[in-house]
Amino acid sequence: SAIPEIKSTHSLVAKHVTKEKWDKLSGIVTKTSGFTLAKAIACAVEFDNQHCGIYAGDFDSYRDFADVFDPIIQEYHGISADAKHTSDMDFSKITGNVNPDAPVHSTRIRVGRSIDGFGLSPGITKEQRLGVEKLFSSACKKFPEDLSGEYYPLTGMDEKVRQQLVDDHFLFMSGDPNLKVAGMERDWPEGRGIFHNKDKTFLVWVNEEDQLRIISMEKGGDVLGVFKRLANGIKAVGDSVKAESGKEFCLDEKYGYVHSCPTNLGTGMRASVHIDLPGWTKDGVDKLKARCEELALQPRGTRGESGGQTGHTYDISNKHRLGYSEVQLVQTMSDGVNKLYEEDLQFQKKYFEFPEIKSSHSLVAKHVTKEVYEKLSRHTTATAGFTLYKAIACAVEFDNQHCGISAGDWDSY
């Protein structure tokens, strides 16, 4: 068939799916789940906003369509053609922890895992998806005490249970356009569900973007404790699945743990904290992004990948997935967060100490007392990210203001 028009013209798919490669590979159908190159690149064809634009439908996809996947993976992750991936979950190698004084709200570390012999989410057949669910729901009954809990299938879920999972921010939803076009929402919600332990600190999502998304989380900044639980949890899931079925997780010596999205290959790990950085916010979000880049970190707003920035709380996570071990990535995140916190305190000193108001006869000089400033100076408005310091800038800068204050949005008032 003719090569399709790729709407995401700047994507890695547009660069690496050439006519020659298309002609060579478009007729191949994978053995495990009957996946094709056309299905793999569906998002890059359908949408114009993809950076990568390709998914694997099974472990075979990475081998059968290697002429396309290999260069994309190498370019995205910055690895050489002969690179090998090493996994290391030994939490005893982590040194130090996040500074207990740092204003960290919560810590979350997740990985993805795929069980050999079943398709990956974009290509998995209905029978295979139900097979993964059956295998996990049986395996999770063998977890050790601190990880033991309950599996909640999405099909036929009780409304009270559903509402509780929504309130806990545990429930994954349908309707993501990318996942839909990639084929990940076929037969929704069948074969999908959520497991969590009694303390709600260990979760497994079943058959969302990956067969298994294993998550360890808790309030506060004990990164080491969260990683330790994750390591024990992955082992418990792996051991239970093996005892139940004799099957192992899909592991490739070059690409590490196999995921449906090639951007997650390697560790598939995202280790993150939610932390308040008012000083960095004041200095500038673009500067924070550049600093995170230097520290091999990725900053996001606290409403997820596509959510905006609210106030001065950031989700800070490791940037890399492949070419580094889990221990290295957690260490990088922990050390980097400590560095950002240290620098934040310096910016707070610079920006939040009471400024000298040059317009000494202004209304600002009269009404912005030291007490008022200390109470309000750290606040950032929701609409425009405005601060008191920005509001009184003219009274601070000039000596001729009568009023000396401006609002940056309705919230300022």
Side-chain angles (χ1 to χ4, degrees):
S1 62
I3 185 168
E5 185 203 337
I6 295 165
K7 286 194 189 150
S8 289
T9 50
H10 300 292
S11 66
L12 293 174
V13 162
K15 182 174 176 183
H16 295 289
V17 179
T18 60
K19 185 173 181 327
E20 295 72 47
K21 288 183 186 179
W22 175 262
D23 290 344
K24 179 184 169 188
L25 303 174
S26 61
I28 294 173
V29 178
T30 64
K31 188 166 171 247
T32 304
S33 68
F35 209 62
T36 61
L37 185 58
K39 289 179 184 173
I41 64 168
C43 285
V45 170
E46 183 71 24
F47 304 120
D48 61 6
N49 62 353
Q50 304 289 297
H51 169 55
C52 190
I54 192 166
Y55 287 99
D58 42 27
F59 200 167
D60 323 13
S61 301
Y62 286 111
R63 296 185 281 252
D64 292 354
F65 309 123
D67 289 351
V68 169
F69 272 108
D70 285 353
I72 287 177
I73 292 162
Q74 286 154 22
E75 182 167 341
Y76 180 86
H77 291 281
I79 61 165
S80 65
D82 55 359
K84 297 265 187 285
H85 180 77
T86 310
S87 176
D88 185 1
M89 292 295 296
D90 182 355
F91 48 80
S92 69
K93 293 178 183 169
I94 301 280
T95 55
N97 207 341
V98 167
N99 185 333
D101 296 335
V104 173
H105 298 271
S106 60
T107 303
R108 178 180 187 268
I109 309 179
R110 62 87 165 154
V111 299
R113 290 291 183 269
S114 308
I115 304 164
D116 206 13
F118 297 95
L120 305 176
S121 200
I124 195 168
T125 65
K126 191 174 175 173
E127 294 68 35
Q128 288 170 353
R129 192 186 300 110
L130 292 169
V132 169
E133 182 187 39
K134 186 165 180 271
L135 187 49
F136 177 80
S137 60
S138 181
C140 69
K141 296 188 173 83
K142 302 183 177 72
F143 288 173
E145 181 54 32
D146 61 322
L147 300 173
S148 69
E150 186 116 6
Y151 175 68
Y152 303 95
L154 258 53
T155 307
M157 185 178 276
D158 178 74
E159 182 48 38
K160 230 168 86 180
V161 170
R162 197 193 72 82
Q163 196 48 55
Q164 187 57 56
L165 290 169
V166 168
D167 295 345
D168 289 331
H169 303 291
F170 289 174
L171 194 67
F172 56 87
M173 309 287 195
S174 69
D176 182 302
N178 259 21
L179 300 193
K180 241 184 185 140
V181 168
M184 299 194 215
E185 295 199 352
R186 291 165 299 127
D187 315 308
W188 184 274
E190 208 173 17
R192 297 157 172 98
I194 292 152
F195 168 90
H196 67 73
N197 67 344
K198 291 186 268 299
D199 296 337
K200 299 183 177 179
T201 55
F202 179 66
L203 274 80
V204 182
W205 285 0
V206 178
N207 287 321
E208 192 236 9
E209 185 178 319
D210 287 302
Q211 286 177 21
L212 303 173
R213 239 329 132 92
I214 304 170
I215 305 161
S216 173
M217 59 201 258
E218 65 183 59
K219 295 264 181 263
D222 181 12
V223 171
L224 179 58
V226 172
F227 183 53
K228 188 173 174 180
R229 186 187 311 111
L230 181 79
N232 292 335
I234 293 170
K235 187 178 181 327
V237 176
D239 290 350
S240 302
V241 165
K242 179 121 195 244
E244 194 71 28
S245 66
K247 292 181 186 295
E248 306 258 7
F249 292 139
C250 299
L251 181 60
D252 183 86
E253 63 163 18
K254 192 152 80 166
Y255 294 146
Y257 287 100
V258 172
H259 294 68
S260 66
C261 182
T263 66
N264 276 324
L265 288 171
T267 59
M269 173 183 278
R270 184 170 188 276
S272 65
V273 297
H274 282 186
I275 183 172
D276 289 338
L277 297 172
W280 268 110
T281 305
K282 185 76 107 191
D283 197 55
V285 176
D286 288 340
K287 290 182 188 167
L288 172 62
K289 283 181 182 159
R291 181 65 177 128
C292 284
E293 186 68 35
E294 292 169 2
L295 296 168
L297 299 174
Q298 197 174 31
R300 286 182 186 172
T302 47
R303 285 183 298 190
E305 201 155 356
S306 47
Q309 182 48 45
T310 54
H312 51 231
T313 307
Y314 298 85
D315 175 311
I316 305 287
S317 66
N318 56 294
K319 181 181 175 220
H320 298 114
R321 303 275 183 273
L322 180 60
Y324 302 82
S325 74
E326 291 83 354
V327 165
Q328 285 175 303
L329 294 180
V330 170
Q331 190 71 60
T332 295
M333 189 273 275
S334 180
D335 294 348
V337 165
N338 283 335
K339 195 84 196 129
L340 289 175
Y341 171 57
E342 216 176 276
E343 291 161 354
D344 196 73
L345 293 178
Q346 294 307 310
F347 287 130
Q348 287 187 41
K349 222 176 164 148
K350 177 179 168 184
Y351 293 116
F352 299 141
E353 284 184 358
F354 191 56
E356 185 202 338
I357 296 167
K358 286 194 187 152
S359 290
S360 51
H361 299 293
S362 65
L363 293 173
V364 163
K366 181 175 177 182
H367 294 289
V368 180
T369 60
K370 198 167 189 308
E371 296 72 48
V372 167
Y373 192 80
E374 276 170 9
K375 181 184 168 191
L376 302 176
S377 63
R378 286 160 202 273
H379 183 71
T380 305
T381 63
T383 306
F386 209 62
T387 59
L388 182 59
Y389 185 81
K390 289 176 184 171
I392 64 169
C394 285
V396 170
E397 185 67 27
F398 305 121
D399 61 5
N400 61 353
Q401 305 291 296
H402 169 55
C403 188
I405 193 168
S406 314
D409 46 24
W410 194 353
D411 321 13
S412 299
Y413 287 110

